[in-house]
Structures are given as structure tokens and as C-alpha cells.
Amino acid sequence: MNDTLRQRVAALRRDLDTHNRAYYEHDAPTISDADYDALFRELQALEREYPELQSPDSPTLRVGGRALEAFAQVIHAVPMLSIQTETDTEASGADHFDARVRKELELAETALPIEYLAELKFDGLAVSLRYENGVLTQGATRGDGVTGEDVTQNLKTVRDIPLRLRGEAPPLLEVRGEAYMRRDDLARYNEKAMARGEKPLVNPRNGAAGSIRQLDPSIAKSRPLRFFAYGIGAVEGWTLPATHGELLAALAAFGFPVCEHRAVAHGAAALADFHARMGALRAQLPFDIDGVVYKVNSLELQRRLGFRSREPRWAVAHKYPAEEARTKVEAIEVQVGRTGAITPVARLQPVFVGGVTVTNATLHNEDEIRRKDVRVGDTVIVRRAGDVIPEVVRVVLAEDRRQGTEDSPSAAALPSRGDGRQPPYELPKTCPECGSQVVREEGGAIVRCAGGLVCPAQVKGALIHFASRRAMDIEGLGDKLVEQLVDSGLVKTPADLYTLSASRLAALERMGEKSAENRVAAIEKSKDSSLARFIFALGIRNVGETTARDLARYFGKLDALRNADTETLLNVPDVGPVVAESIRDFFAEAHNREVIASLMAAGVHWTEGEGQVDAPPGVFSGKTFVLTGTLPTLKRDEAKALIEAAGGKASGSVSKKTDYVIAGEEAGSKLDKARELGIPILNEAELLQLINTQESEKP
Ligand code: IVH
């Protein structure tokens, strides 16, 4: 080996690092992806051929190694604290924090304002990076703050995390910050993922958290993760600067991305000002934030203030309200759901809120419309929190509106009244899809189309459900095709699916011969089912996947379920009077019996009695979970959705029937009860791991 080689390797590393930095830190790629790959491969080849040239900070190591069985535990030398949340989203939220700090420090009213450093609160996953003699040796998640997971391989694939510190590095430095995804990166990633037929990532936060927790580092590598440093953990042989602001500057000098949106602020008013400024900027930021963070700037004062139950007294997260925007209601329409539920929806003038352009917002139900008195032509405030469906918060009436922008062409076309508004909205009396009567459920807020399976909207909904992955699992039978099949009159009931021929399908618009054949094969394949799936696929009201599973297990045979009386049904775990009645009503309907008979005649089958033993359709099928406390990354709804997506059930209270308790921070009596009953307790990471490993084991 000669010096030329050594120099070439060094040059390749330097160039790759420069291109990386240009791409990630300055958002200005200096080289095409293909050229980058070529340099990368050249370096990889040289290192493979001359192992003595290998170096722990080589960019090639960002590929990560092989997949792990499970993550090793990391005990944080300095615990990773959480942060107190100020839920008062107004300016007064900053006052509360400032007043608390002043009180703790026993400052007189006349004392000078406290100096703070204000930062953004990034919405990703907290990680800790350990550098020994300047080289990244370990990366860990926060976990419960005391113990995290060793995710070194995954973090090494994050291209803006330095593998080696720039400048003179101390013997030990732990850097803490947030792994996150930019919205545009996520969108680009999702586009490609969907083109490959993969599932898109739900949102940047889940995307970041999910990627860091992948056991296979090549998956993390394929995800566009980034990093912002905002603090430190253990340090040896380095004199800390005097302030947090200087600390951030030092981290930037070591080569870490530190977010530019940060400011020194003296006193509460300056904090509130930062909160307001960043609030105004929020929608334009390329990444999600859910608030700002205030930290006492002096590290000496931080030490004096100390901690209270794992939260520093010197920092607070000041949140933002869910993003809202003002727009106009162009029309109010109703949607008919799978079960015939009629949901009023406001069609809006497109408005950008919460990172997306919103054109529809739910008005929930008749009572909500009446309470909010939303009418066509009204100016309204819409809100979008996280991934939830946008909703209309309230109407802005002329008197509290600064500018009169209420005239839209569509509203002007309608006869208006004295106050300039349209008359109160009334739900239609008949279903817009099939003209059947619309009935309001006794005691409920929900209004339903009584048309049942004569209503095309309900037929389509029923078919989509029937074909879905956890039901009959008919690949390629999505919304679009169902729509075509019903509209063309080819399919009226699920049983009709089994009479379709490839030539019939191929006659449909945009359906090639090959894909028609594939669909027919997928339909054929679905005939081999299980009782639990079949019961679930029927779409009996109030019978979800878990209940279907319980019913299959209890009855073992479809006939036994079909003929069961209420009393027998009530013996099934978790079946109460409402569910029992839904089941009885379903089987009492002649049409439903006919469809079932046709399905069986068409060859849909399973092994009778198999329901009691067969493998669950979801990894958590039949399992009941209780969530308690605050989870580190998942919101409660999200955790619940994940559990349900895996076939489990999330219940509100701990009992002997509970299979797992998922505990986060400040878990209270439910956790005590779980311990008392000896129920397994998992943290969020363990929950996600359980879901991920089991998901990936599936064919
Ligand atoms: S400081 C002193 N700064 O918030 C408390 N945390 O901490 C240590 N977070 O999941 C955290 N942006 O990842 C700090 N600028 C910021 C932050 C931040 C986001 C997250 C952090 C953790 C949560 C609670």
C-alpha cells in the first residue's frame, strides 16, 4: 500500500463529508446522488481491500452493520431529563415560568430580569450521542430517561450527525438533541415509498421515532433523518462555558447542527415575544415544532435551581395551540359512511394549516353544527392538530371580524337573510346516495341512512371493509375498484365478487388484462379464510376485529354464532347488550343470511372449530392493553391506534382481563394496580419493538 492510496482515501472521506454537510446543513447539494454514490463506493472498495485504512469515523460506516436481534440497554451516565410543560399557550405562560424561577432564586421584585435562552421545541425523538476522544462511540434513545436503547448503528446513518468532532475534542462528551424529519423530506420519502408499494410514514415525528427504533440499520439509512443538538450529558476534560447559549455555539463548532432559531431573552416579556415570533414562523419552518423551550442561560444558575422529580426547574416547554386558520365555508355536504352514518362535512376554500392544505373539515354531527351554528358562506376558524381530521372550531361573525371578507361567489349566489347569513343548516331528511330515510339513533347524536345494502355508499363501504387486509385480505381491491364495480352494477354484495371473471374486470376503465387476472387470483385466494376473519369481514355493527376473534373462539362454528340467543352471546368475553343486539339484528336480516349462503356456495371456507386455535389476524389479537402516564414520543391516541392496528384492544381500566399495561411518565394508580395483579408492564419502546418485530416477521 502506498501514500497515493492513503491520500485518495483521505480525499474521498473529506469530499464525502463536505458533500454531506452541504446537503444536510446548508440544504444546497453540491453533487448529484449518483456521483455521491460513486465516490462512496470507491471509498468502500478501498477500505474493504485495505482494512488498515479503515477508520472509525469513515462516512462508509454510516451504512450501519447487520440487523440486530434486539437493542442493548444503555444506562445514561447523566439521566436524560424531561421538561416541564407550560400548557397556558398565551403570553402569560411565559410569566408563570419566569415568576417560578424568580421565586426559586429568591429574587426581589426589583432585581434585574433573568437572562434566558429561548429555543424551538422540536417534534422528533430525543437521543444522546457519546463521543470518546472525538469519535462517536455510542448513540442512545432517551428511553425512560435513566435507561435507553443502544441505537448507535441507526444514528450513524444520520448524515448530519458528525462521526468525529471537529477541532480539539475532549476525552468525553455526550451531546443531546433531537433526531427529526423535515416535512419535505418526509413527503419525498413517502412518494417513493408508495411508488414501491410500501406504507408511507404517518408524520415526521413517528417517522423519526420509528426509524431510530429499526433493528435493521439499512431501514434507518433509507429514511431522511436529521439532527439538532440542544444540550449535553456527561463530560470529561472540557471546561464548560458560562452559558447555555455559548454551549450551543461550542456544539456548532464541534460540527453539530444547532437550530438557528434561538435567542437570548431578558425577562418574561422577551420570552413571550420569542414565543409569538416563532408561532408566526411555525408554518414556514421546514420541520414540525410543538412549542418553544426556555432555559435559564447561566449554567451556574441552572445548577442552583436544580431539579424536581426528573424535570429541571430551569427549563420549560411553552406550547402552541393546535394550528388554526381562517377560511370560508363554500358548501356543507354529507358523507355516508360504511355503516350508513351520515357525517356533515364543510367544503372549504383551500387553506394551509398544520402543514397541509385543507379543503374539507368535519362538522361531526347535527348537534355540533347546531351548537357552532355553521352555515354556508360563513367565515370559520379551522383547526388541525397533528394528524387528526381538520375540524371547524367556530364561526367568525361579522362583528368580531376585522375585515369584511365574507362574500364568496358561491355564497352570493344563494338568497341571504337580514344578517347577511344563510339560514341555519339542516341535515337532509333522505340519504343523498340512495334516497332512503335518514333516522336518528335513539339517544345518540348519530344520524344514519336506513337504506342498508340498497345504499351504494354502504355497499361500497361494506365491500372495502370485506376486502381489507384484516378481513378477507383481497389484495388490489381498493376504494377505486370497488367504486367502479358498484357503479357499473357488476357487484352488489360481497358474494358477487366471487362471480367476477377476468374478462369482465378487464372491461373496466384503466384495467389491464394482467391486473384483471391478478385481482381474480387474489379474490380466489381469499376463499381460504378463517372464521374470525370472516366474522369480522361481515361488517356487523360494533363487531371489530377483537370481538370477531372472541366470537370465533367461543362459538367455533358459524352456525353456532348465527343461531345464538342474546343470553349465550353475553357469555362471550367483552360482549355486552349492545354488541349482542347488533349481532342478533345482523343475523335476523334475511338479506344478510342470503349473502352468507352465497359466499359459502361460492367456496369461501375455513376449518370449522379452527377459530379456537388459529393464528390471530393481528399480532395483538385478543390482547387487552391499558395505557397510563405520558409516553415519551407517542400521544395516547397514537399508541391506541397502533395497538388497535395490530388487532389489540385498548381499555381504560386495569383488571384481571388486562394483558399488558403500557406505562409512561407519571403513571399513577393504574400502574400500581397492574403491579398488584402481576400484569406485565411495558414502556413505549418495548411496545413499539413488539409491534415492529412481529410485523417484520410476517411474510
Ligand atoms: S432540553 C433540560 N431542548 O422535549 C431538559 N428538549 O425534554 C432536557 N425537546 O423528548 C431537554 N426540543 O427531545 C430540550 N430545544 C429542546 C427540545 C427538547 C425538543 C424534547 C426532548 C424530549 C422532550 C422533553
Side-chain angles (χ1 to χ4, degrees):
M1 195 216 351
N2 56 37
D3 278 353
T4 332
L5 271 181
R6 205 181 288 280
Q7 276 160 13
R8 179 66 190 151
V9 164
L12 283 168
R13 286 189 189 138
R14 207 176 40 235
D15 287 356
L16 287 167
D17 269 338
T18 312
H19 294 312
N20 263 339
R21 221 169 288 143
Y23 185 87
Y24 278 96
E25 287 174 38
H26 310 299
D27 226 359
T30 40
I31 186 173
S32 74
D33 283 357
D35 290 346
Y36 180 92
D37 276 354
L39 294 179
F40 191 91
R41 289 223 191 84
E42 185 185 345
L43 178 58
Q44 236 176 359
L46 285 172
E47 287 174 347
R48 216 175 295 132
E49 203 167 333
Y50 305 101
E52 62 273 34
L53 287 181
Q54 187 53 275
S55 146
D57 64 339
S58 175
T60 55
L61 294 177
R62 292 193 191 274
V63 193
R66 64 206 164 77
L68 302 168
E69 298 275 311
F71 293 120
Q73 287 206 334
V74 170
I75 299 182
H76 298 297
V78 174
M80 289 183 79
L81 301 166
S82 71
I83 206 164
Q84 203 184 339
T85 304
E86 175 58 62
T87 47
D88 176 352
T89 58
E90 305 284 312
S92 40
D95 296 336
H96 301 323
F97 172 60
D98 183 52
R100 268 200 313 274
V101 172
R102 294 180 72 88
K103 185 159 165 251
E104 284 297 337
L105 292 172
E106 299 179 341
L107 293 184
E109 286 216 4
T110 51
L112 287 174
I114 293 179
E115 182 174 299
Y116 296 102
L117 193 96
E119 301 170 6
L120 300 181
K121 184 162 193 300
F122 313 108
D123 209 1
L125 183 75
V127 297
S128 185
L129 306 168
R130 189 177 169 92
Y131 290 84
E132 291 171 28
N133 298 313
V135 177
L136 176 61
T137 54
Q138 187 176 67
T141 62
R142 175 162 168 265
D144 62 6
V146 178
T147 333
E149 290 156 327
D150 184 336
V151 288
T152 313
Q153 297 205 77
N154 289 341
L155 288 172
K156 277 189 173 172
T157 70
V158 180
R159 291 216 264 163
D160 63 0
I161 290 180
L163 297 177
R164 179 189 283 278
L165 300 182
R166 257 188 255 163
E168 212 166 304
L172 176 67
L173 177 66
E174 277 181 11
V175 175
R176 283 162 184 189
E178 199 87 349
Y180 71 99
M181 249 183 223
R182 282 169 50 140
R183 284 192 289 262
D184 55 349
D185 282 342
L186 176 100
R188 247 187 315 252
Y189 173 86
N190 276 349
E191 219 170 274
K192 288 194 199 146
M194 285 191 287
R196 286 193 302 263
E198 291 168 18
K199 260 199 295 187
L201 302 170
V202 182
N203 62 35
R205 184 168 40 85
N206 286 359
S211 307
I212 296 289
R213 288 216 179 77
Q214 291 290 333
L215 289 164
D216 178 355
S218 68
I219 298 180
K221 185 178 159 45
S222 74
R223 308 272 174 88
L225 288 163
R226 293 173 189 254
F227 179 76
F228 274 135
Y230 56 61
I232 53 169
V235 187
E236 276 166 29
W238 191 53
T239 316
L240 292 186
T243 65
H244 181 65
E246 285 160 358
L247 177 70
L248 294 180
L251 293 179
F254 278 133
F256 291 97
V258 177
C259 181
E260 56 170 328
H261 298 294
R262 57 187 200 267
V264 172
H266 294 94
L271 290 178
D273 178 61
F274 183 82
H275 185 258
R277 275 195 298 123
M278 294 303 123
L281 199 66
R282 186 179 178 194
Q284 283 135 260
L285 290 171
F287 48 83
D288 283 353
I289 60 169
D290 59 351
V292 291
V293 176
Y294 309 140
K295 297 174 181 173
V296 170
N297 204 16
S298 154
L299 299 193
E300 168 54 28
L301 282 187
Q302 288 188 3
R303 273 188 287 274
R304 266 173 57 194
L305 284 158
F307 311 97
R308 209 204 67 212
S309 67
R310 296 229 233 133
E311 286 172 357
R313 288 201 189 84
W314 45 264
V316 80
H318 194 185
K319 296 262 184 172
Y320 287 119
E323 259 190 77
E324 294 185 349
R326 177 192 291 222
T327 186
K328 184 168 293 235
V329 177
E330 296 193 321
I332 298 177
E333 289 167 9
V334 294
Q335 269 171 2
V336 187
R338 165 168 85 81
T339 59
I342 295 205
T343 312
V345 177
R347 304 280 175 222
L348 305 170
Q349 257 175 24
V351 61
F352 191 74
V353 55
V356 298
T357 301
V358 168
T359 51
N360 301 313
T362 178
L363 292 162
H364 299 292
N365 55 50
E366 196 173 22
D367 292 350
E368 279 287 296
I369 294 199
R370 202 150 293 158
R371 197 173 60 74
K372 291 175 181 163
D373 191 18
V374 180
R375 308 184 194 184
V376 174
D378 280 352
T379 295
V380 290
I381 302 294
V382 290
R383 167 165 45 197
R384 185 172 174 277
D387 0 304
V388 302
I389 306 164
E391 62 168 353
V392 170
V393 183
R394 65 186 172 89
V395 172
V396 185
L397 292 173
E399 56 265 29
D400 59 15
R401 197 170 14 181
R402 260 164 261 137
Q403 292 154 323
T405 52
E406 66 276 32
D407 305 305
S408 82
S410 54
L414 293 156
S416 67
R417 304 185 317 155
D419 59 1
R421 297 180 75 201
Q422 301 303 322
Y425 177 79
E426 300 268 352
L427 274 187
K429 300 273 175 291
T430 54
C431 171
E433 294 276 346
C434 71
S436 299
Q437 281 298 306
V438 156
V439 289
R440 185 160 173 154
E441 262 177 21
E442 233 176 285
I446 296 174
V447 170
R448 273 180 218 282
C449 160
L453 292 177
V454 304
C455 177
Q458 290 179 64
V459 172
K460 287 175 193 168
L463 285 167
I464 290 166
H465 172 76
F466 182 83
S468 65
R469 197 166 73 84
R470 301 197 183 283
M472 300 303 278
D473 193 17
I474 306 178
E475 218 178 294
L477 196 70
D479 300 13
K480 263 241 118 64
L481 182 55
V482 165
E483 186 109 337
Q484 284 177 298
L485 290 171
V486 175
D487 290 346
S488 65
L490 279 179
V491 171
K492 292 194 181 62
T493 76
D496 295 341
L497 290 172
Y498 295 93
T499 65
L500 290 172
S501 63
S503 56
R504 279 258 181 96
L505 274 177
L508 294 171
E509 214 183 314
R510 279 195 299 272
M511 172 73 68
E513 228 164 89
K514 185 77 204 140
S515 54
E517 278 165 23
N518 289 343
R519 308 297 156 94
V520 172
I523 292 170
E524 183 62 30
K525 191 169 147 230
S526 75
K527 287 182 181 172
D528 190 6
S529 186
S530 77
L531 180 56
R533 279 176 179 274
F534 186 76
I535 295 171
F536 177 57
L538 291 174
I540 304 169
R541 194 178 301 165
N542 299 313
V543 175
E545 198 182 2
T546 311
T547 307
R549 171 114 211 103
D550 288 345
L551 292 168
R553 204 178 288 154
Y554 187 89
F555 291 102
K557 287 183 161 50
L558 186 64
D559 267 341
L561 168 65
R562 186 163 33 188
N563 300 324
D565 56 19
T566 307
E567 207 174 312
T568 315
L569 286 166
L570 288 173
N571 287 334
V572 181
D574 283 329
V575 171
V578 174
V579 178
E581 193 186 308
S582 301
I583 296 169
R584 295 274 293 159
D585 287 352
F586 182 89
F587 288 110
E589 181 66 55
H591 172 83
N592 292 335
R593 285 182 176 256
E594 280 161 29
V595 170
I596 292 172
S598 311
L599 284 168
M600 317 267 302
V604 174
H605 67 277
W606 56 88
T607 312
E608 290 279 7
E610 166 198 55
Q612 287 124 324
V613 287
D614 76 354
V619 296
F620 287 168
S621 275
K623 295 273 183 276
T624 302
F625 290 74
V626 173
L627 291 156
T628 176
T630 312
L631 300 180
T633 71
L634 291 169
K635 304 211 166 103
R636 187 168 292 229
D637 281 354
E638 294 167 344
K640 193 166 168 243
L642 281 174
I643 290 168
E644 286 172 356
K649 215 171 74 175
S651 156
S653 56
V654 179
S655 73
K656 276 182 293 189
K657 289 188 183 172
T658 309
D659 293 292
Y660 294 100
V661 167
I662 311 299
E665 260 183 68
E666 276 164 32
S669 59
K670 289 179 194 174
L671 185 57
D672 299 339
K673 179 110 187 251
R675 292 207 174 104
E676 210 173 282
L677 295 172
I679 292 162
I681 297 160
L682 306 180
N683 62 24
E684 181 191 283
E686 288 163 334
L687 171 72
L688 290 171
Q689 210 166 316
L690 209 56
I691 293 174
N692 283 335
T693 47
Q694 310 230 2
E695 284 282 324
S696 59
E697 275 162 17
K698 276 194 271 175

